[in-house]
């Protein structure tokens, strides 16, 4: 039931980048990133006066449980909303104009997290709680450059939290990876550290700087690898060379599926270091190396990108 609803919904999200994720507890929840929506959307009060403009940056909708949203207010303030279950329809929550039209007015004041619940008095949705909390931040800051997320012009979505983007700080497009919701920060923390371990070893995209949101670090920017494709069984030698270099640094990648090797310019580049760990155990590293050939022949699609291109096209991607 949920899959059919989602497919119907996603077919109407024109101009939005979307992904769907299955969960063990529920049939489906829907995540969507609304990038560069062309129409300005405004909250208005009862007199019709403009109060504030809102852009929905990220949606994670669960048909059976609470849903989570990242929004931008007045072009500069990011707020995180939680909406209780059974308050709005899935279709309304996943379509930006509908969502904004049915939200209760944003409370005034300095807050960054809010919950929308049903008012027990009149049964209508209302903000039951707003708070100003210290949101988690990536703490391992090792690169000198920081990039404000507001400076980014978002492009293609490559994976659930990976995008092509452009910014005045770079002449060419870049790739950014960042936490859409606060609970994702620990995964980005680990990967940020891993990029420092491997810098200057030419086995990954170049790390270009840390991505910030209102002062806290939420992700990073990296080099965009052009004219690349994901690895196939015939690329075993190139992938082995990249993985051996990583292992000589005493680092276990942790997720060597074929989609985490980009083949370009007669070499393999490793991506997605979220599960990478420093490892001095030769047996553990050897076991990962032995699994590589099997991983390259896997046809399950595990680890695949959100963006799927035809076999005649080459991808420009990092992750």
């Amino acid at each position: 039931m949920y899959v059919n609803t989602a497919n119907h919904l996603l077919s109407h999200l024109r101009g939005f980048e979307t992904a769907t994720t299955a969960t063990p507890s529920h049939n489906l929840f829907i995540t969507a990133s609304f990038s560069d929506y062309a129409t300005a959307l405004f909250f208005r009060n009862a007199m019709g006066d403009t109060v504030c403009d809102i852009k929905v940056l990220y949606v994670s909708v669960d048909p059976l449980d609470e849903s989570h949203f990242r929004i931008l207010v007045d072009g500069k303030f990011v707020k995180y909303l939680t909406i209780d279950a059974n308050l709005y329809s899935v279709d309304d929550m996943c379509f930006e104009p509908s969502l904004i039209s049915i939200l209760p007015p944003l409370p005034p004041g300095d807050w960054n997290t809010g919950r929308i619940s049903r008012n027990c008095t009149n049964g209508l949705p209302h903000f039951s709680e707003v708070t100003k909390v210290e949101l988690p931040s990536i703490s391992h800051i090792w690169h000198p450059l920081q990039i404000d997320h507001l400076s980014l012009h978002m492009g293609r979505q490559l994976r659930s939290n990976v995008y092509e983007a452009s910014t005045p700080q770079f002449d060419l497009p870049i790739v950014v990876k960042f936490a859409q919701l606060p609970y994702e920060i620990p995964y980005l923390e680990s990967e940020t550290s891993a990029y420092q371990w491997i810098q200057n070893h030419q086995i990954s995209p170049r790390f270009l700087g840390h991505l910030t949101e209102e002062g806290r670090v939420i992700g990073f920017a990296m080099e965009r690898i052009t004219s690349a494709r994901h690895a196939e069984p015939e690329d075993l030698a190139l992938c082995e060379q990249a993985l051996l270099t990583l292992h000589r640094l005493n680092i276990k990648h942790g997720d060597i599926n074929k989609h985490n090797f980009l083949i370009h310019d007669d070499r393999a580049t490793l991506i997605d270091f979220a599960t990478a760990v420093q490892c001095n155990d030769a047996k553990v590293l050897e076991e990962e190396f032995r699994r590589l050939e099997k991983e390259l022949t896997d046809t399950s699609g595990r680890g695949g990108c959100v963006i799927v291109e035809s076999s005649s096209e080459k991808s420009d991607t990092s992750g």
Side-chain angles (χ1 to χ4, degrees), residues 15-30:
F16 303 151
E17 302 290 354
T18 60
T20 58
T21 308
T23 65
S25 56
H26 303 134
N27 296 52
L28 181 78
F29 69 85
I30 301 164

Side-chain angles (χ1 to χ4, degrees), residues 40-226:
L41 297 163
F42 301 93
F43 263 129
R44 298 181 183 276
N45 61 20
M47 302 298 294
D49 298 323
T50 298
V51 177
C52 58
D53 70 277
I54 293 177
K55 181 177 180 179
V56 180
L57 301 177
Y58 183 75
V59 168
S60 178
V61 171
D62 189 324
L64 302 179
D65 206 342
E66 62 185 26
S67 298
H68 303 276
F69 303 81
R70 178 173 177 250
I71 66 172
L72 182 66
V73 179
D74 292 335
K76 52 185 176 180
F77 302 113
V78 175
K79 299 182 186 294
Y80 293 87
L81 306 182
T82 299
I83 297 181
D84 286 353
N86 303 314
L87 205 57
Y88 300 121
S89 73
V90 171
D91 288 45
D92 281 338
M93 287 191 289
C94 286
F95 188 56
E96 184 174 27
S98 296
L99 174 64
I100 291 178
S101 70
I102 60 178
L103 286 178
L106 296 187
D110 183 19
W111 58 274
N112 56 9
T113 64
R115 176 176 289 274
I116 300 175
S117 308
R118 194 176 301 281
N119 189 314
C120 12
T121 304
N122 57 22
L124 297 177
H126 76 133
F127 275 89
S128 57
E129 179 184 11
V130 292
T131 54
K132 176 72 171 182
V133 301
E134 184 177 351
L135 295 169
S137 173
I138 294 170
S139 60
H140 187 68
I141 312 303
W142 60 270
H143 195 280
L145 182 64
Q146 296 196 8
I147 304 163
D148 192 312
H149 77 109
L150 293 177
S151 73
L152 297 175
H153 177 83
M154 305 300 286
R156 268 198 319 167
Q157 183 180 21
L158 304 175
R159 297 187 177 186
S160 61
N161 62 344
V162 182
Y163 295 81
E164 291 179 345
S166 57
T167 173
Q169 289 168 276
F170 294 97
D171 295 331
L172 297 174
I174 60 175
V175 171
V176 292
K177 186 171 186 177
F178 58 95
Q180 300 274 23
L181 296 173
Y183 76 86
E184 298 172 346
I185 287 291
Y187 304 103
L188 277 297
E189 178 85 55
S190 299
E191 191 161 10
T192 299
S193 296
Y195 269 99
Q196 184 180 26
W197 304 337
I198 60 178
Q199 67 170 326
N200 302 323
H201 288 280
Q202 289 77 51
I203 55 173
S204 69
R206 273 190 311 125
F207 189 98
L208 301 177
H210 302 282
L211 194 65
T212 64
E213 174 195 282
E214 298 185 25
R216 70 187 184 105
V217 178
I218 62 169
F220 54 84
M222 53 188 156
E223 171 191 17
R224 177 173 171 261
I225 304 296
T226 61

